[in-house]
Amino acid sequence: MGEIVKKEILIDGPYITLGQLLKEEAVISSGGQAKWFLKENSVNVNDEPDDRRGRKLYDGDHVEVPDVGLFFIHSKQGSE
């Protein structure tokens, strides 16, 4: 089993959806898989379970995907 990843995710806009995050980080291969993945796997957003692929993730949020990693959301606008 591979090492669990801890990664900062820089977003361009005000938010990214949970489904977009899963796709961009190659947890799933297409946006259509997000609904299935979130029903079959327990994903935590800010230490609370969430299975909504449209959940908006903002600067300062963190997402834990078991057996994959912990992702910290940061806005590019705040870092410029």
Side-chain angles (χ1 to χ4, degrees), residues 27-76:
V27 176
I28 58 174
S29 58
S30 72
Q33 291 180 324
K35 185 175 185 178
W36 170 84
F37 181 86
L38 291 167
K39 292 293 180 201
E40 299 292 321
N41 297 275
S42 91
V43 173
N44 291 323
V45 176
N46 299 329
D47 301 319
E48 297 285 332
D50 203 321
D51 63 0
R52 298 172 293 161
R53 67 180 182 223
R55 166 72 188 259
K56 294 177 182 175
L57 305 170
Y58 296 94
D59 183 50
D61 286 345
H62 61 276
V63 178
E64 180 182 6
V65 182
D67 300 323
V68 176
L70 186 57
F71 302 95
F72 300 93
I73 311 303
H74 294 290
S75 173
K76 285 183 181 177

Side-chain angles (χ1 to χ4, degrees), residues 8-15 24 58-60 72-80:
E8 288 190 34
I9 307 299
L10 292 176
I11 56 174
D12 290 317
Y15 65 87
E24 286 185 16
Y58 296 94
D59 183 50
F72 300 93
I73 311 303
H74 294 290
S75 173
K76 285 183 181 177
Q77 296 164 347
S79 63
E80 291 178 354

